[in-house]
Amino acid sequence: GRFADSAAAAAAAPREEAASRGEFRDRRLSASLRQHRPLLTSAWRSEARSGPAPGMIFGDLAHGPYYTIASFLDARTLCKLDAACKLTRSLNRTNNGPWFEMGCAAYFGMEVDGLGTFQPEDSDGAKHAEGLRLDWKGRYGNFREQARMFREPFSAAEISAVDQADEIAYGRCKLRIDILAQGVVRGAAQGVYLEVSVAANPDNVSLAIVDFEGGGCSSVTFSPDTGAVIRERKVRESPRKVEGSYIQPLASITSGQGFEGSMGFYLCRGQLAFFRKPFVSDAAWETTGFVTDLSWAEGKRLTPCLAFRDTGAYSVRTTVVGATPPIAASQSAAAYNEANWRSLDWDAGDEEDEAGEEEEEDELLAQ
């Protein structure tokens, strides 16, 4: 027992000595602080008057970290940052800066009339940004405005009146199949989502995508009121003959009335899906799922458009041009089974023959 007590005392001695040294050091530090407090207070007041000591400044972030930080900001926040500081305003507009990166992501796979793709292309179609002196914030704003607009005779983002039956309103934004085939932005799959709001509809309006820009004669149309998707191809101009087929992934909802609500399409990895949400209480987004690929399309450009069946006072405008649909879409197994598509061929020549036969019958009856 005595040996154990001696060993314990020997082990405790260094700890007590260390604690004693620490306590003595703390007493010396406290005394030193009390002694030099007037000098430290004077130094702190001097620094407050003259600014911080030389070291890293905000501008030093421009050599790398700033662009990583700014990549997490949205357009509204970037605008506020532009207004707050001349340095950040200049950095945000540079090649490969925040506005450039945001525009490339937001308008990936799109081409706007008169503007081309967001990142300009060479004559051989290669994209480049080096050496360009562009205002990327201004270009982003132009794309945001022009991508929502329709071509003549409407030349606006909203259509309020249709003066001709069977009118087609083509969008100024085109979809580039060749770019979208790459399908990857910042390591993730990305497509194009376009949404249209229909606030007033006296008759019928449908959303379609056509391949006329590449010399084709085919289209895919979504009827939001019936929930049907229609594929058509013109095989003869005169007399007009159209070969078509349709499938109805969604139920009919309007009972003969014009659809009022939001409708859109999503094109991703060469597959096309449609969406709708009527302006009624408790309505939720619905999707057809991916119902078709692009094997029907010719060329490398597709044009979104609206098809109006009759004249009247409408209120239709493009509300979203982006990369994310309102709900996720998966491939429709039924739509990728050709047996589920019903024939919808139309031949103007046959109608003329039938009309002629009816006229002959009327003449015979009159005699």
Side-chain angles (χ1 to χ4, degrees):
R2 290 196 300 269
F3 288 112
D5 294 340
S6 299
R15 292 195 296 270
E16 292 175 355
E17 183 179 355
S20 177
R21 288 199 302 268
E23 183 180 353
F24 176 70
R25 185 171 57 249
D26 292 342
R27 288 199 300 268
R28 288 182 57 190
L29 180 58
S30 298
S32 177
L33 287 174
R34 286 195 299 271
Q35 179 181 359
H36 295 93
R37 180 173 294 172
L39 296 177
L40 292 173
T41 302
S42 177
W44 292 335
R45 289 175 178 172
S46 176
E47 181 177 332
R49 289 193 300 268
S50 61
M56 176 175 285
I57 60 175
F58 185 75
D60 293 335
L61 297 177
H63 299 291
Y66 174 76
Y67 293 109
T68 302
I69 297 170
S71 67
F72 291 92
L73 305 180
D74 58 15
R76 183 182 299 273
T77 308
L78 272 181
C79 286
K80 293 180 179 179
L81 196 56
D82 285 346
C85 176
K86 289 184 178 180
L87 174 61
T88 56
R89 182 176 183 273
S90 177
L91 293 174
N92 290 346
R93 293 170 179 251
T94 59
N95 291 347
N96 301 314
W99 285 114
F100 170 85
E101 293 292 341
M102 184 176 294
C104 288
Y107 301 108
F108 173 77
M110 303 182 205
E111 181 178 300
V112 177
D113 292 349
L115 296 175
T117 56
F118 186 81
Q119 185 178 352
E121 296 177 312
D122 293 327
S123 56
D124 59 357
K127 294 181 178 295
H128 65 94
E130 299 299 329
L132 294 178
R133 298 179 61 87
L134 293 178
D135 176 6
W136 293 109
K137 179 181 180 180
R139 189 167 181 81
Y140 179 90
N142 286 337
F143 265 73
R144 182 181 175 85
E145 177 184 5
Q146 296 296 323
R148 289 170 166 78
M149 296 187 68
F150 297 97
R151 296 178 183 172
E152 294 182 355
F154 302 102
S155 300
E158 182 173 359
I159 298 174
S160 57
V162 174
D163 299 328
Q164 295 183 2
D166 298 322
E167 181 71 271
I168 305 295
Y170 295 98
R172 298 197 62 186
C173 174
K174 298 180 288 291
L175 312 179
R176 287 284 299 272
I177 299 176
D178 54 335
I179 298 176
L180 288 168
Q182 304 169 13
V184 177
V185 174
R186 296 177 180 175
Q190 181 167 324
V192 172
Y193 175 70
L194 184 144
E195 182 179 311
V196 175
S197 173
V198 183
N201 180 10
D203 185 68
N204 182 279
V205 57
S206 300
L207 178 62
I209 299 96
V210 302
D211 66 351
F212 304 160
E213 295 282 342
C217 52
S218 301
S219 65
V220 174
T221 303
F222 174 60
S223 174
D225 50 350
T226 64
V229 177
I230 306 159
R231 299 184 308 198
E232 293 178 297
R233 183 173 68 91
K234 183 175 66 176
V235 297
R236 188 177 62 218
E237 179 61 36
S238 181
R240 183 179 293 268
K241 181 179 180 180
V242 176
E243 293 179 349
S245 59
Y246 76 95
I247 193 171
Q248 190 176 9
L250 301 177
S252 180
I253 58 174
T254 57
S255 302
Q257 298 179 351
F259 172 83
E260 294 183 355
S262 295
M263 59 180 176
F265 70 81
Y266 182 52
L267 177 60
C268 184
R269 292 183 181 254
Q271 298 185 89
L272 191 60
F274 294 94
F275 303 80
R276 74 179 181 187
K277 181 183 179 183
F279 289 157
V280 295
S281 60
D282 300 328
W285 278 102
E286 297 178 287
T287 178
T288 62
F290 290 108
V291 291
T292 182
D293 56 23
L294 299 181
S295 58
W296 54 271
E298 294 186 19
K300 62 181 182 181
R301 292 175 174 84
L302 298 178
T303 306
C305 60
L306 297 176
F308 297 89
R309 187 172 62 183
D310 203 354
T311 62
Y314 292 81
S315 178
V316 182
R317 63 187 180 93
T318 305
T319 53
V320 178
V321 177
T324 306
I327 58 175
S330 57
Q331 189 178 88
S332 170
Y336 275 81
N337 183 351
E338 286 297 321
N340 294 321
W341 289 78
R342 301 178 183 178
S343 177
L344 192 66
D345 296 341
W346 178 72
D347 193 334
D350 293 342
E351 291 186 354
E352 291 176 358
D353 292 341
E354 292 177 359
E357 292 176 359
E358 291 178 357
E359 290 179 359
E360 291 179 358
E361 291 178 358
D362 292 342
E363 290 178 357
L364 290 175
L365 290 173
Q367 294 176 356

